[in-house]
Amino acid sequence: MNVGYNILVYHVNSFDKVDAVIKSFNSGKNQLYVSEEDGYWAGSGMYFWDNRGNVAYWKKDRERKNIETSVLSATLSLDEENVLDLTDEDMVNSYNRMWPYIAKKFNVEKDCSPGKKLNYIC
């Protein structure tokens, strides 16, 4: 059974990067901003927050670094089958069982960052 969700989400970034995403969607290209793997977060991709408290934190952090900041809001539609929920103990156990095989297949060290692991798994 597929369960669908619609969630209001926010992305905090420079004005130029947010503007580029908006222009991409307005032109029909539908390209998101993709950050590079830094070893700390959950891999490469565009990060969204589901609450305004996180938006305020990241907006303040970027402004403290003198980065002109903009906030993009969107409705994220997803299917439960396509979510890697790392708050689900069963999913984390499956993820941990899978990792040694994936690491071997791609010749990646087993003890790498969580973000690098997610990049390979996904």
Side-chain angles (χ1 to χ4, degrees):
M1 176 172 142
N2 295 346
V3 178
Y5 297 99
N6 291 314
I7 304 166
L8 181 61
V9 294
Y10 307 91
H11 177 75
V12 180
N13 213 322
S14 69
F15 175 82
D16 292 340
K17 290 178 180 166
V18 168
D19 190 52
V21 170
I22 292 169
K23 286 179 179 174
S24 170
F25 275 78
N26 286 341
S27 71
K29 293 181 182 175
N30 300 343
Q31 294 178 329
L32 298 174
Y33 166 76
V34 177
S35 65
E36 295 301 316
E37 162 60 29
D38 65 2
Y40 184 68
W41 294 99
S44 302
M46 187 169 178
Y47 286 78
F48 291 91
W49 303 108
D50 64 351
N51 65 77
R52 292 181 184 199
N54 285 340
V55 170
Y57 172 86
W58 286 105
K59 190 172 187 301
K60 184 177 178 181
D61 179 72
R62 295 181 71 80
E63 290 171 347
R64 182 179 50 79
K65 297 174 185 174
N66 294 320
I67 300 171
E68 185 180 359
T69 304
S70 190
V71 177
L72 172 71
S73 64
T75 301
L76 176 65
S77 298
L78 53 102
D79 186 309
E80 185 177 50
E81 288 184 3
N82 296 316
V83 175
L84 179 62
D85 182 357
L86 296 178
T87 65
D88 179 335
E89 187 176 346
D90 289 339
M91 193 165 288
V92 170
N93 290 337
S94 177
Y95 167 90
N96 287 331
R97 280 191 307 275
M98 236 188 315
W99 177 246
Y101 301 104
I102 294 169
K104 184 177 180 180
K105 178 178 180 172
F106 291 103
N107 198 26
V108 178
E109 65 275 9
K110 289 182 186 176
D111 295 327
C112 64
S113 70
K116 191 170 187 177
K117 289 178 181 179
L118 285 173
N119 283 341
Y120 279 95
I121 287 174
C122 293

